[in-house]
Amino acid sequence: MEFTRKNRQLLSRIATNDRHGENSPYFDGWKAYDSNPFHPIHNPDGVIQMGLAENPLCFDLIEKWIRENPDASICTAEGLDKFKDIAIFQDYHGLREFREAVAKFMGRVGGNRVTFDPNRIVMSGGATGANETAIFCLADPGDAFLVPSPYYAGFARDLRWRTGVEIVPVHCKSSNNFRITRAALEEAYEKAQRSNINIKGVIITNPSNPLGTVLDKETLRSLVSFVTDKKIHLVSDEIYAATVFSSPRFISVAEVMQDMDCNRDLIHIVYSLSKDMGFPGFRVGIVYSFNDDVTNCARKMSSFGLVSSQTQFLLASMLSDDEFVGNFLRESSKRLAKRHHVFTKGLEEVGISTIKSNAGLFFWMDMRPLLKEQTTKAETELWRVIINKVKLNVSPGSSFLCSEPGWFRVCFANMDDKTVEVALDRIREFVLQGKEENNHEADKSQARAQRWRKQNLRLSFSSSRLYDESLMSPHMISPHSPIPHSPLVRART
Amino acid sequence: MRLIVPLQGVVQGRGGLIFGSLIPCALFYFLQLYLKRHRSPKPQSNPPSPTTSSPKLAEMTRTSSRSNLFSRSIGQVRISSRAISIAKPNESPYYIGLDKASEDPYDRLSNPDGVIQLGLSENRLCFDLIEKWMSENLGHSITGRDSGELNINGIATYQPFDGTMELKLAMAGFMSHIMGGAVTFEPSQMVLTAGATPAIETLCFCLADQGNAFLVPTPYYPGFDRDVKFRTGVELIPVHCRSTDNFALSITALDQAFNQTRKHGTKIRGILLSNPANPVGNLLSREMLYAILDFAREKNIHVISDEIFAGSMYGNEEFVSMAEVLDSEGFDKNRVHIVYGLSKDLSLPGFRVGVIYSFNENVLAAARKLTRFSSVSAPTQRLLVSMLSDARFIEEYVKTNKRRLQNMHALFVAGLKGLNIRCADSSAGLYCWADMSKLISSYSEKGELELWDKLLNVGKINVTPGSACHCIEPGWFRCCFTTLAEEDIPVVLERIRKAVENTTDLLNSS
């Protein structure tokens, strides 16, 4: 005991503090899933994973391409002659073909209205690494960034943990569909200044996580002019750019800059292939800055998270295949649209509304009518019920720092059609049941509420969980869970 | 906070030496003292803009580009203070040489006048073996499992950020093999990272706070300056080793450096070793390892042992890993952390595979979380599991690699000897540590850099000067010979000869 205390003292503050965020109640849902994961045959009563924004819907297209293009992989007979040069290549500039292919892809995803310069493409360890690197380049410990809420729960770690930088949320409201208004930004900025907090910039996610909406041109212009006025930075995380499945189209901040009077040195884009292409395992993160110093700095820092040259080579080939890319983007949109429609329609039928969204791998569900009271506490209770009784791991709005309780993010892409049906059934049942119960007398529902409150989050180690090959394959992992090696439901569409 | 060196290059015709340099220097010094005393952990506004301090200061900073005190580039956009210094073009000859060599690379056939790269420790001697393995083991490398069926699902989706258990198992086996089987590595104590570079950085983030320091024996790998200092805010305190004892580390020197640093108010959190050493190539003896562990225990600090060259042995000495020593004696394992990677021993630097191996559960827990920022790419993990699990191949590879390394080392060192350039005694690594002090015009860093420049621009060979490695004795150069073929060695020697033609002593043996 004495030694463990002394032992912990041997560690740094970063190693021992909580800023990695994994102790937050947000991860209780993951833990519940990991201990009782749903499987259509072997564990039909398990928890369905709806908290992971993964996009496996188009893996079949990718597999087909890889099979048909053996020279893209240095591990095949056709590609072997490249092996030596690739295996030894560790230049932090990255393979030229890779950068060119990524630049072209980014341009394409933005509707070909912008040309991205391959010399500004800088690698990093996934979008996680890209966001962190951007912050390392732009801010010193103690500085802060304005981030419109609700925002991706991982920002607390990615932007703050090792950088020592703080986040100042800019709360957006459902009354105007969570739009980012200039007024809200100004207010947050002034307030921060008064409290002696040094704001270094604004971070936005476009398309938004968790809302699934794209920013319109006006909002983008207003953001760019806001940062230009205040001489602070704008980091636009465009990781979901190609998951737009219906109009309005995605507009990159790069496009908006083109016909605006602004300070280009303030604008930076973060990108990745984890969502658009469904390749989170490849760890491809991109920092694209219009500021030369930031580009140089980020490039040197990329040594801490270079993309494997084997992966660079494969992707250079894949992303330069115009026909494949065109087809992929079209199919991906189609499948995402269909899946999104199935869910939102299903929810509508039971009176659950969602924010009107046209992008992302999730939707933002409005469960406010089901809250006992409009408080975070009630939201957390409702969430625990959804995890425990309805057995769906959805993400509560409070973990995204949403100022209004009752909203939930639900991911819809990381499962097959059958599981979608099961999930919808469960939600329908739950909502209808809830409506029924509301018709009972007041004190009866009061008693039930007390029961729910007493109920602790139970991790059910049910024996009905059978083990089979596919369940136990080490590749089925939930990345946010503190418990390693958990199965994910495979998308088979 | 770093001491600000008096502004250089500031006095560009603005008001004379005294006016222009002494006064702002003094002001900077006092400003820095003020900030050091008033610095609080809570977020506070930036140091006041130049207009609130002396007007001369404002004048100075407008012409100066070296103001790391302010996170503001005057008239320009504010980026972070670290970015300002990192973004500047790299002045270290280590990097300049690397760039020059890559711009005009030597090729025996197509570019015989290009720059020969002897500054990057890369091992190209055994690629033929790896290629052969690839061509015989295709199909289940990138995508599917042994069934041969393509299954992108397995590798495209999120993986455990600290590496798959399969790869950890394979790495544990490989590491054990190359270290002569004297040590078993436990996969659950491993954290895989995208190269040894983030492994070192991650450990620094786990073991030290901003402003703390690590002791590092010199000469050391120039990349440590980046890995340890770039983003962590941790300092490196050199512990100088000398040629008189073949650059061996001494506990006395460690102790001295420790005490001196402590006197200046900086907390030492650990020792950073590379064993086998880079750039010298010598090994730490078993006794030395014991002594270091004793020292670390006495001072209550960590030991990071970078053993990335453990499989690149060419000498007859036995390599002893820290892990081996810990196994045998009753040392406190919680303060020892080993770094490894596949860039040197398996010649796969592009694939970005590094290892943190620790006995400390808390460090492992923290490091695991940190690997989110630098994980090994999934297709690469898949490929390596196949390769590393092929025991027969690995055995053949390690044997052949050692043989070829021995051969190249012997030829190269003999060649240098023929030019009256002797090398330090070494047993491992992809390089030799050559003493060219007789060839430099003045026995100083300046003289050394002049020779380096001559070798690079006249001789067209890129070697790494000792000053880039923080060597306290001028005139030493690191020459990597594993990117060469045997036929290239005479070319290199000829170029050295030509570059120093006018220097005496070269052709006259002493």
Side-chain angles (χ1 to χ4, degrees):
Chain A
M1 205 48 226
E2 158 68 35
F3 181 74
T4 3
R5 188 164 38 88
K6 197 166 139 215
N7 193 7
R8 276 183 77 75
Q9 280 164 11
L10 272 184
L11 266 61
S12 67
R13 283 196 280 270
I14 286 179
T16 48
N17 68 22
D18 258 353
R19 284 164 76 97
H20 48 73
E22 289 184 23
N23 291 337
S24 93
Y26 170 62
F27 291 105
D28 287 346
W30 297 88
K31 291 174 193 153
Y33 167 76
D34 286 335
S35 55
N36 184 18
F38 171 82
H39 188 274
I41 304 165
H42 302 283
N43 191 17
D45 290 325
V47 176
I48 298 182
Q49 175 66 285
M50 302 189 85
L52 175 62
E54 220 179 40
N55 182 10
L57 294 179
C58 287
F59 277 165
D60 56 326
L61 298 179
I62 296 185
E63 274 169 12
K64 182 158 167 286
W65 188 92
I66 291 183
R67 212 179 306 123
E68 291 170 0
N69 291 273
D71 52 344
S73 163
I74 51 177
C75 316
T76 56
E78 293 82 345
L80 198 55
D81 58 335
K82 294 277 190 352
F83 179 83
K84 209 164 46 178
D85 296 324
I86 299 297
I88 206 104
F89 185 83
Q90 55 174 328
D91 183 348
Y92 60 33
H93 287 84
L95 282 174
R96 193 183 37 88
E97 311 93 298
F98 172 71
R99 282 181 284 121
E100 282 170 357
V102 170
K104 200 157 70 143
F105 185 73
M106 284 170 73
R108 193 128 180 212
V109 161
N112 280 327
R113 283 182 176 75
V114 188
T115 336
F116 287 93
D117 177 4
N119 293 322
R120 289 192 180 281
I121 300 276
V122 170
M123 297 180 283
S124 61
T128 299
N131 275 313
E132 194 199 38
T133 297
I135 302 298
F136 267 126
C137 291
L138 302 176
D140 295 309
D143 289 338
F145 272 78
L146 293 175
V147 187
S149 80
Y151 61 77
Y152 166 51
F155 274 167
R157 169 199 56 223
D158 301 346
L159 308 179
R160 296 183 329 146
W161 193 14
R162 300 195 294 187
T163 60
V165 163
E166 291 305 327
I167 294 180
V168 173
V170 179
H171 293 295
C172 302
K173 314 221 174 291
S174 59
S175 45
N176 65 342
N177 276 331
F178 296 98
R179 278 188 79 199
I180 306 169
T181 61
R182 178 82 182 236
L185 286 170
E186 295 276 3
E187 196 194 315
Y189 185 81
E190 304 298 317
K191 190 154 168 236
Q193 295 289 83
R194 281 197 302 272
S195 325
N196 254 341
I197 296 174
N198 186 32
I199 300 287
K200 267 331 241 314
V202 180
I203 305 206
I204 55 170
T205 314
N206 174 32
S208 163
N209 176 5
L211 303 174
T213 51
V214 295
L215 292 182
D216 58 76
K217 214 169 203 168
E218 212 183 289
T219 310
L220 282 168
R221 290 177 75 93
S222 128
L223 278 161
V224 173
S225 92
F226 174 74
V227 299
T228 304
D229 279 348
K230 305 279 188 263
K231 288 208 191 51
I232 59 180
H233 295 277
L234 177 62
V235 178
S236 178
D237 184 343
E238 304 187 342
I239 192 178
Y240 289 100
T243 61
V244 174
F245 49 79
S246 63
S247 67
R249 67 175 180 88
F250 165 70
I251 304 175
S252 167
V253 68
E255 182 185 331
V256 151
M257 274 169 68
Q258 278 173 158
D259 34 38
M260 257 189 91
D261 198 14
C262 65
N263 186 345
R264 296 172 71 86
D265 278 344
L266 295 171
I267 314 288
H268 323 276
I269 296 177
V270 161
Y271 189 62
S272 165
L273 297 178
S274 302
K275 312 293 180 182
D276 289 350
M277 296 289 291
F279 284 155
F282 284 24
R283 312 311 301 146
V284 181
I286 305 288
V287 177
Y288 188 98
S289 172
F290 292 92
N291 180 322
D292 288 339
D293 284 337
V294 173
T295 304
N296 285 332
C297 181
R299 190 178 290 126
K300 289 180 185 155
M301 290 185 179
S302 65
S303 299
F304 298 112
L306 288 176
V307 177
S308 168
S309 51
Q310 174 195 18
T311 305
Q312 288 186 51
F313 187 71
L314 174 69
L315 292 172
S317 213
M318 195 187 287
L319 298 179
S320 338
D321 185 341
D322 289 331
E323 204 190 309
F324 166 75
V325 170
N327 186 36
F328 180 90
L329 292 175
R330 267 191 307 273
E331 263 309 303
S332 179
S333 293
K334 243 190 356 200
R335 297 180 191 184
L336 281 170
K338 181 156 162 257
R339 183 58 71 79
H340 180 261
H341 179 78
V342 163
F343 260 109
T344 44
K345 208 77 206 301
L347 289 174
E348 238 173 66
E349 283 164 12
V350 289
I352 303 268
S353 67
T354 63
I355 279 278
K356 186 165 182 319
S357 64
N358 64 324
L361 308 173
F362 34 70
F363 50 81
W364 192 234
M365 185 168 69
D366 186 359
M367 302 282 259
R368 288 176 299 173
L370 272 76
L371 286 186
K372 301 281 150 208
E373 41 184 32
Q374 301 299 316
T375 60
T376 311
K377 191 154 168 282
E379 177 191 277
T380 311
E381 276 167 27
L382 175 58
W383 175 58
R384 290 194 197 285
V385 168
I386 298 179
I387 302 233
N388 275 347
K389 297 198 94 184
V390 190
K391 301 244 181 56
L392 300 174
N393 178 28
V394 295
S395 312
S398 51
S399 58
F400 296 92
L401 267 82
C402 184
S403 55
E404 298 174 15
W407 293 90
F408 288 81
R409 186 190 80 167
V410 183
C411 299
F412 56 72
N414 62 316
M415 57 188 69
D416 58 22
D417 291 329
K418 262 193 102 207
T419 314
V420 171
E421 278 310 314
V422 178
L424 273 175
D425 282 338
R426 290 187 185 181
I427 297 179
R428 270 194 278 259
E429 206 185 294
F430 171 67
V431 173
L432 293 174
Q433 200 181 36
K435 285 203 176 128
E436 245 178 59
E437 288 171 346
N438 279 338
N439 293 335
H440 287 321
E441 303 160 50
D443 40 51
K444 259 208 181 142
S445 46
Q446 260 248 314
R448 212 168 291 116
Q450 291 203 351
R451 236 187 297 140
W452 280 338
R453 268 183 218 118
K454 279 213 200 91
Q455 194 172 50
N456 290 320
L457 192 66
R458 268 200 326 261
L459 298 180
S460 47
F461 293 94
S462 80
S463 57
S464 67
R465 180 185 178 203
L466 298 172
Y467 293 84
D468 82 56
E469 268 274 84
S470 61
L471 267 188
M472 287 314 288
S473 324
H475 57 252
M476 294 170 139
I477 300 296
S478 113
H480 303 292
S481 169
I483 303 174
H485 301 310
S486 73
L488 272 177
V489 179
R490 295 286 109 222
R492 285 185 197 96
T493 47
Chain B
M1 189 181 284
R2 273 188 311 172
L3 282 175
I4 306 297
V5 174
L7 299 174
Q8 299 167 24
V10 155
V11 185
Q12 308 277 354
R14 280 200 178 246
L17 203 60
I18 311 281
F19 214 59
S21 60
L22 273 188
I23 296 177
C25 286
L27 285 166
F28 258 113
Y29 178 70
F30 288 119
L31 179 62
Q32 169 209 301
L33 272 182
Y34 166 84
L35 287 172
K36 190 172 180 179
R37 286 213 190 91
H38 294 260
R39 190 184 186 85
S40 72
K42 282 196 238 137
Q44 60 183 32
S45 52
N46 261 349
S49 76
T51 47
T52 62
S53 13
S54 154
K56 283 191 194 51
L57 211 56
E59 216 175 31
M60 285 308 103
T61 47
R62 218 157 268 135
T63 53
S64 151
S65 62
R66 274 185 169 256
S67 52
N68 6 23
L69 196 54
F70 301 102
S71 63
R72 186 191 300 248
S73 291
I74 306 306
Q76 281 182 315
V77 153
R78 301 175 300 168
I79 57 180
S80 68
S81 4
R82 72 170 75 69
I84 292 179
S85 51
I86 295 175
K88 283 200 280 270
N90 218 310
E91 288 165 356
S92 162
Y94 176 64
Y95 294 104
I96 296 181
L98 286 180
D99 282 342
K100 234 193 166 135
S102 61
E103 282 162 27
D104 179 21
Y106 167 81
D107 184 294
R108 207 175 320 123
L109 302 164
S110 59
N111 189 16
D113 292 323
V115 178
I116 302 186
Q117 176 67 287
L118 300 179
L120 187 57
S121 66
E122 258 174 17
N123 182 357
R124 295 179 186 245
L125 301 177
C126 288
F127 266 134
D128 57 323
L129 295 180
I130 299 189
E131 277 169 1
K132 180 158 163 285
W133 182 89
M134 289 289 203
S135 60
E136 292 168 1
N137 292 273
L138 299 168
H140 36 236
S141 307
I142 186 179
T143 46
R145 301 184 76 108
D146 298 312
S147 61
E149 235 184 66
L150 274 180
N151 180 15
I152 193 101
N153 248 312
I155 56 166
T157 52
Y158 279 107
Q159 314 279 307
F161 287 107
D162 60 330
T164 57
M165 188 42 93
E166 290 158 327
L167 183 54
K168 288 185 191 177
L169 275 163
M171 284 296 293
F174 179 69
M175 283 168 73
S176 178
H177 183 94
I178 54 154
M179 296 192 192
V183 149
T184 349
F185 289 93
E186 190 51 50
S188 60
Q189 284 170 230
M190 269 189 187
V191 167
L192 301 181
T193 56
T197 297
I200 304 253
E201 193 198 39
T202 299
L203 275 176
C204 288
F205 270 120
C206 290
L207 306 176
D209 295 314
Q210 200 173 10
N212 296 158
F214 276 87
L215 294 174
V216 57
T218 70
Y220 63 80
Y221 161 54
F224 278 165
D225 286 328
R226 169 200 58 207
D227 302 348
V228 173
K229 301 204 279 191
F230 253 26
R231 312 191 298 184
T232 64
V234 172
E235 271 308 314
L236 279 176
I237 305 291
V239 177
H240 293 297
C241 305
R242 304 186 185 271
S243 58
T244 38
D245 35 359
N246 201 44
F247 296 98
L249 179 61
S250 87
I251 298 293
T252 327
L254 269 180
D255 202 26
Q256 251 171 14
F258 184 89
N259 293 330
Q260 222 162 14
T261 314
R262 210 171 39 167
K263 245 189 265 181
H264 285 145
T266 300
K267 187 158 182 222
I268 299 279
R269 292 307 281 264
I271 310 171
L272 173 59
L273 306 164
S274 63
N275 177 32
N278 178 4
V280 181
N282 50 8
L283 303 177
L284 289 173
S285 67
R286 203 178 284 267
E287 294 70 41
M288 192 55 192
L289 293 176
Y290 292 161
I292 292 171
L293 288 172
D294 276 333
F295 179 80
R297 190 196 44 215
E298 189 199 327
K299 307 290 185 203
N300 197 23
I301 57 180
H302 292 275
V303 177
I304 300 179
S305 180
D306 181 357
E307 304 187 346
I308 199 175
F309 288 102
S312 303
M313 297 278 304
Y314 46 74
N316 296 321
E317 236 183 288
E318 187 210 355
F319 171 73
V320 181
S321 164
M322 266 295 180
E324 188 185 331
V325 165
L326 284 177
D327 260 351
S328 55
E329 306 287 317
F331 283 108
D332 172 12
K333 296 183 172 183
N334 274 296
R335 52 180 91 256
V336 175
H337 321 279
I338 294 173
V339 167
Y340 186 67
L342 293 182
S343 304
K344 314 292 177 183
D345 295 344
L346 208 56
S347 316
L348 301 173
F351 285 8
R352 315 311 302 146
V353 183
V355 180
I356 295 176
Y357 189 81
S358 176
F359 300 86
N360 186 323
E361 273 313 315
N362 290 325
V363 172
L364 286 172
R368 259 176 224 126
K369 297 189 178 94
L370 286 170
T371 51
R372 275 203 75 112
F373 299 104
S374 37
S375 304
V376 184
S377 184
T380 303
Q381 293 196 54
R382 180 66 65 79
L383 168 62
L384 287 171
V385 166
S386 287
M387 196 188 288
L388 295 175
S389 314
D390 187 340
R392 202 190 42 83
F393 163 71
I394 294 294
E395 198 181 319
E396 191 204 333
Y397 180 90
V398 171
K399 256 206 318 248
T400 314
N401 189 31
K402 179 165 182 170
R403 205 173 9 103
R404 294 183 186 178
L405 262 180
Q406 270 171 336
N407 185 39
M408 283 304 283
H409 173 254
L411 283 173
F412 195 76
V413 169
L416 286 180
K417 195 140 172 241
L419 294 177
N420 207 25
I421 298 173
R422 82 167 183 94
C423 296
D425 288 334
S426 58
S427 324
L430 309 175
Y431 39 76
C432 59
W433 188 233
D435 183 3
M436 302 199 195
S437 51
K438 295 199 198 86
L439 302 172
I440 57 183
S441 49
S442 67
Y443 192 67
S444 63
E445 185 178 325
K446 185 158 169 287
E448 178 188 282
L449 288 174
E450 272 170 19
L451 175 58
W452 168 75
D453 189 84
K454 233 192 311 186
L455 287 168
L456 180 61
N457 292 312
V458 176
K460 297 285 205 77
I461 59 169
N462 176 40
V463 290
T464 308
S467 49
C469 305
H470 303 266
C471 184
I472 199 156
E473 299 174 14
W476 291 86
F477 287 81
R478 185 188 79 167
C479 312
C480 302
F481 49 76
T482 46
T483 49
L484 302 172
E486 275 185 41
E487 306 86 81
D488 298 324
I489 297 187
V491 180
V492 171
L493 296 172
E494 184 51 42
R495 289 193 185 190
I496 298 180
R497 193 195 313 262
K498 224 199 264 161
V500 297
E501 230 160 12
N502 301 322
T503 324
T504 55
D505 282 317
L506 183 51
L507 297 171
N508 314 327
S509 357
S510 61

